[in-house]
Amino acid sequence: MAASKSLSLLRNIKRICAVSISVAKRSIGGITYVPDPPPAQGETQKMNLVQSLVSAMDQAMERDPNALVFGEDVAFGGVFRCTLGLRDKYGKDRVFNTPLSEQGIVAFGIGVAAQGSTAIAEIQFADYIHPAFDQFVNEAAKFRYRSGNLFDCGGLTVRAPYGAVGHGAHYHSQSPEAFYAHVPGLRVIIPRGPSQAKGLLLAAIRDPNPCVFFEPKILYRQAVEDVPVDDYTLPLSSAEVLEPGSDVTLVGYGTQIQILKDVCSLARDELGVSCELIDLRTIVPWDVDTVVKSVEKTGRLVIAHEAPLTAGFGGEVASTIQSECFLSLESPIQRVCGWDTPFPHITEPFYLPDKYRCYEAVKRVMNY
């Protein structure tokens, strides 16, 4: 009897695993990165997201002798190899390891930035950035304001890998951007791919405000495209319309842009619906005007991000658009987000706002 029950239990476990694997294939494991079009001018090189970040920091340090790179394990390249080769090129005084203290890393960055250096700090995982929250909120964000613009730490940029990766569970998969979006004085930036990451990171490093730069780590090596070799920047707090459309506006950032590209194709092929896709790129301060202009045209809005629904940044977008575009809306605004639970492990595919959940939201706004 015991052997029979054990065999039955084993079969049930195998069925659950098979279902989980099947769902995983259509979510995280099923992301197909669609490269951005190559720039019209200038030399380019095939780079993944990691290589584009290394290129950005290399050029920032080459141009600015006061630029420093520091964090846990960055001296040998970091756990994701995003600082590979920088110590060999620029020396141990400009690229160095720190103690395992996120609060100390950000506090040190504030101090050296206030003294005129360009501080490029790395937090190994965004999930562990929270011990530094007080330094971000009460020091970095308020430094300029409390001194009446006599002093600032605008030379501080803090990089951190964030988001789902397929196996990270609750301590290596979270999306904490909304916590930092709540803080006046910080700029929060999230790129969607290699060419965007290089241009936005260089812009963040040179921006006169402290910046938090979240990098979608699942795309570190999966995302490969033509990236300009030369130094360049992209505008901060400026959203980009990736696909023009007339029926519904889709808004996202980071990895979710790849999901929403699939949704655009699915809605067009299955429903005959034209979706306008917008990448926010910077979520604070975010580009309200671009989204308002789109929703005034389409009359419908779907917002998607991996972070949980409650108090997620999508709520801020929805509230603003509800206020600015009330008379243009043809249906209630939809948010497709992570669930209000700790980030799961085996059930991660059910947690994520995959293309099927986003597609259902498009159907709801079109059928309202």
Side-chain angles (χ1 to χ4, degrees):
M1 180 67 71
S4 176
K5 286 183 177 180
S6 297
L7 184 59
S8 176
L9 178 61
L10 182 59
R11 286 172 178 164
N12 287 334
I13 290 172
K14 286 182 177 179
R15 290 191 189 104
I16 293 170
C17 290
V19 171
S20 298
I21 291 169
S22 175
V23 176
K25 286 180 179 178
R26 74 178 196 184
S27 54
I28 272 296
I31 289 177
T32 300
Y33 182 77
V34 179
D36 281 357
Q41 296 178 336
E43 181 186 356
T44 64
Q45 181 179 329
K46 289 285 185 186
M47 298 184 193
N48 61 28
L49 183 54
V50 166
Q51 292 166 329
S52 73
L53 295 168
V54 174
S55 178
M57 287 183 277
D58 180 18
Q59 290 174 350
M61 297 187 76
E62 188 172 48
R63 179 169 165 177
D64 180 1
N66 292 317
L68 309 173
V69 171
F70 53 91
E72 298 168 9
D73 301 321
V74 300
F76 74 86
V79 294
F80 292 107
R81 299 299 186 265
C82 291
T83 55
L84 189 65
L86 296 180
R87 183 183 176 100
D88 293 339
K89 184 172 181 178
Y90 296 103
K92 63 181 182 180
D93 292 333
R94 295 184 63 194
V95 181
F96 48 88
N97 292 335
T98 64
L100 305 184
S101 170
E102 288 76 17
Q103 182 178 13
I105 291 168
V106 176
F108 175 79
I110 292 168
V112 295
Q115 294 299 312
S117 293
T118 300
I120 308 169
E122 177 179 297
I123 301 296
Q124 200 164 91
F125 285 89
D127 309 69
Y128 297 108
I129 199 172
H130 303 303
F133 196 65
D134 178 63
Q135 292 296 320
F136 280 112
V137 174
N138 288 322
E139 303 298 338
K142 297 176 175 61
F143 211 104
R144 189 193 309 274
Y145 179 81
R146 74 178 187 181
S147 70
N149 204 32
L150 292 175
F151 309 102
D152 70 82
C153 60
L156 172 66
T157 299
V158 180
R159 299 175 38 252
Y162 92 108
V165 72
H167 53 263
H170 51 293
Y171 286 138
H172 296 85
S173 305
Q174 298 174 87
S175 299
E177 66 273 8
F179 291 102
Y180 298 89
H182 191 65
V183 185
L186 296 179
R187 198 187 293 273
V188 181
I189 304 151
I190 305 178
R192 67 174 180 268
S195 60
Q196 289 286 310
K198 181 177 177 179
L200 290 172
L201 181 56
L202 280 167
I205 290 169
R206 294 163 185 165
D207 189 64
N209 302 285
C211 295
V212 184
F213 195 89
F214 288 119
E215 301 158 6
K217 59 181 177 289
I218 192 172
L219 299 181
Y220 268 160
R221 286 170 176 79
Q222 186 172 347
V224 179
E225 64 193 13
D226 292 307
V227 178
V229 173
D230 294 334
D231 189 311
Y232 68 99
T233 60
L234 294 171
L236 301 176
S237 295
S238 176
E240 183 177 3
V241 178
L242 299 179
E243 294 190 25
S246 57
D247 296 325
V248 56
T249 300
L250 306 182
V251 172
Y253 48 83
T255 308
Q256 199 63 27
I257 293 299
Q258 300 305 314
I259 303 298
L260 294 177
K261 285 181 179 180
D262 285 345
V263 176
C264 289
S265 299
L266 197 59
R268 180 176 59 250
D269 297 342
E270 299 293 329
L271 305 174
V273 168
S274 173
C275 297
E276 181 149 291
L277 174 58
I278 298 176
D279 179 6
L280 288 182
R281 302 196 292 185
T282 303
I283 67 166
V284 170
W286 67 286
D287 184 355
V288 177
D289 292 343
T290 295
V291 181
V292 166
K293 182 179 178 180
S294 176
V295 176
E296 285 178 342
K297 175 178 63 174
T298 66
R300 302 171 182 88
L301 175 62
V302 174
I303 310 154
H305 55 64
E306 289 182 14
L309 176 73
T310 300
F313 192 72
E316 177 63 27
V317 176
S319 175
T320 301
I321 298 305
Q322 175 77 5
S323 175
E324 296 293 324
C325 302
F326 182 75
L327 296 179
S328 300
L329 288 171
E330 300 288 345
S331 69
I333 296 169
Q334 298 290 303
R335 288 182 290 156
V336 188
C337 310
W339 304 112
D340 289 337
T341 69
F343 199 103
H345 189 195
I346 188 67
T347 56
E348 175 178 310
F350 300 99
Y351 176 91
L352 293 170
D354 67 8
K355 66 181 179 181
Y356 300 101
R357 287 177 58 197
C358 294
Y359 175 64
E360 289 300 317
V362 171
K363 289 201 291 187
R364 285 195 296 272
V365 298
M366 294 305 300
N367 293 332
Y368 182 77

